[in-house]
Amino acid sequence: MVLLSKTTTEQFSYIKNCMASTFSSTIPIVDLSKPDAKTLIVKACEEFGFFKVINHGVPMEPISQLETETLKFFSMPLNEKEKAGPPNPFGYGSKRIGRNGDVGWVEYLLLNTNQEHGFSPSGKNAEKLRGLLTSYMSLVKKMACDILELMAEGLKIQQKNVFSKLLMDKQSDSVFRVNHYPACPELAVNGQNMIGFGEHTDPQIISLLRSNNTSGLQIYLRDGSWIPVPPDHNSFFINVGDSLQVMTNGRFRSVRHRVLANGFKSRLSMIYFGGPPLSEKIAPLPSLIKGKQSLYNEFTWFEYKNSTYGSKLADNRLGHFERIAAS
């Protein structure tokens, strides 16, 4: 666990207390075993850019095992965790998020799903953790591809694998992240909450998130309000990413989200970020424009990824690539 002094916590951002005691019932839920899943996915992506999936087919046993082993990793002394390497770009990081001054009440592992960039933790359970990570990444990648194909069907795109083939490409630039938010008893300062991970959108195509049963995740609605997402360790939560927003010409919107620290329980989340190959050209699909003007200039994933390195979490990264304001 990360233990920080009161003096140390003063460097973090706080917001007015908005950790609701009740959760929103408006979060879309998609049952992947039902025939209407593709329709509900499209509706959720249009209205929220976010939805929860149940009956996803990923067995709970490997998930629970991975959660146990990652918690063991995060409970190690800091000098042992740092042997996994600084997040430059992959490895272990704590508090600092990115290169431009963002900080949060979080420690994390950031990994490339390409096994050539293997994770090298220390400790007696290192091999077990590596094996569990590899297995889990494979399971969630398959689920991401299945969801993207249902999405394409729901959009009535003739080529069902138009999105999923980018994740299946051997050069896919996908990323896996494990975030650990330690309990922070001192966070209730003047009726405020501490930011665990600041508000942002995900730049990739799609993100699949699964966490333990500790609350903290919130999403931003188009009416300007933030709503808490009820935790559910048996389900996955899906985020539309910036790249998918562009490919659908703004029909789907990448969801702005954040995590607030919890004063009593630690939160552990595991996120698969499905990204295209670096050379892939990102632009609205012709079949989804249908005579309308493209809202975005074409760019490669490499160009977009590079542009994010110069931005802060909360920045509108797509602004540099917009032709006209997306509505």
Side-chain angles (χ1 to χ4, degrees):
M1 176 178 288
V2 176
L3 297 175
L4 301 177
S5 67
K6 184 175 180 180
T7 301
T8 305
T9 62
E10 290 174 354
Q11 68 179 294
F12 294 94
S13 299
Y14 293 82
I15 59 174
K16 185 177 179 180
N17 196 327
C18 58
M19 287 286 279
S21 57
T22 58
F23 293 98
S24 172
S25 60
T26 60
I27 303 297
I29 299 176
V30 178
D31 185 338
L32 292 184
S33 69
K34 300 292 186 182
D36 64 350
K38 60 186 178 183
T39 302
L40 294 177
I41 287 172
V42 169
K43 187 173 187 294
C45 291
E46 290 175 336
E47 296 180 1
F48 290 85
F50 180 89
F51 57 96
K52 170 181 171 178
V53 295
I54 60 175
N55 290 324
H56 44 71
V58 178
M60 286 304 300
E61 183 176 356
I63 293 176
S64 299
Q65 290 177 345
L66 178 57
E67 182 174 301
T68 298
E69 292 303 319
T70 51
L71 285 173
K72 287 179 183 178
F73 172 83
F74 287 121
S75 68
M76 292 195 305
L78 180 61
N79 65 323
E80 289 296 317
K81 290 182 285 192
E82 288 180 336
K83 290 179 181 178
N88 187 29
F90 303 108
Y92 169 80
S94 178
K95 300 183 287 295
R96 298 185 183 280
I97 304 169
R99 308 176 180 180
N100 298 293
D102 288 298
V103 295
W105 187 264
V106 64
E107 58 177 341
Y108 57 90
L109 284 170
L110 189 61
L111 312 171
N112 192 329
T113 59
N114 184 339
Q115 294 308 304
E116 292 178 4
H117 303 278
F119 172 44
S120 299
S122 61
K124 61 182 180 180
N125 295 315
E127 286 298 326
K128 184 177 182 180
L129 178 54
R130 271 198 296 267
L132 288 168
L133 283 166
T134 299
S135 175
Y136 183 83
M137 288 180 197
S138 177
L139 290 168
V140 292
K141 178 180 178 179
K142 181 183 182 304
M143 193 207 316
C145 290
D146 290 344
I147 289 171
L148 288 172
E149 291 188 1
L150 286 171
M151 191 181 292
E153 287 185 48
L155 289 169
K156 296 179 170 53
I157 298 174
Q158 189 172 6
Q159 187 181 0
K160 189 174 75 170
N161 70 340
V162 64
F163 303 125
S164 62
K165 68 179 181 180
L166 302 179
L167 274 57
M168 294 302 296
D169 193 298
K170 291 182 179 180
Q171 300 301 316
S172 169
D173 186 45
S174 296
V175 175
F176 185 73
R177 185 177 186 123
V178 185
N179 289 334
H180 178 234
Y181 305 90
C184 181
E186 298 179 0
L187 69 79
V189 179
N190 298 323
Q192 294 180 318
N193 287 122
M194 184 185 292
I195 295 294
F197 206 110
E199 64 175 273
H200 64 286
T201 59
D202 297 335
Q204 291 87 356
I205 297 171
I206 191 173
S207 307
L208 277 68
L209 177 146
R210 184 263 171 197
S211 73
N212 62 3
N213 263 343
T214 301
S215 61
L217 177 63
Q218 297 187 336
I219 63 170
Y220 186 74
L221 302 183
R222 294 190 184 186
D223 66 6
S225 62
W226 287 93
I227 61 170
V229 177
D232 182 352
H233 71 285
N234 293 313
S235 302
F236 284 82
F237 295 91
I238 314 302
N239 296 346
V240 169
D242 294 343
S243 296
L244 187 56
Q245 175 174 323
V246 172
M247 295 177 76
T248 60
N249 202 37
R251 181 171 172 178
F252 294 173
R253 299 298 297 270
S254 56
V255 62
R256 187 165 289 269
H257 54 289
R258 67 187 181 191
V259 175
L260 303 185
N262 190 292
F264 306 100
K265 297 189 297 181
S266 66
R267 174 181 168 86
L268 183 76
S269 61
M270 299 179 283
I271 313 104
Y272 169 80
F273 300 95
L278 289 172
S279 61
E280 183 68 28
K281 294 179 180 179
I282 308 296
L285 299 176
S287 62
L288 296 182
I289 296 179
K290 295 182 178 178
K292 298 179 182 178
Q293 183 177 359
S294 171
L295 299 179
Y296 304 95
N297 293 310
E298 182 181 273
F299 54 86
T300 66
W301 171 238
F302 176 80
E303 291 170 334
Y304 190 57
K305 190 174 180 179
N306 270 355
S307 76
T308 67
Y309 291 146
S311 64
K312 295 179 72 68
L313 277 177
D315 290 347
N316 174 22
R317 304 181 184 105
L318 279 178
H320 300 294
F321 301 93
E322 292 177 349
R323 286 185 175 179
I324 60 175
S327 59

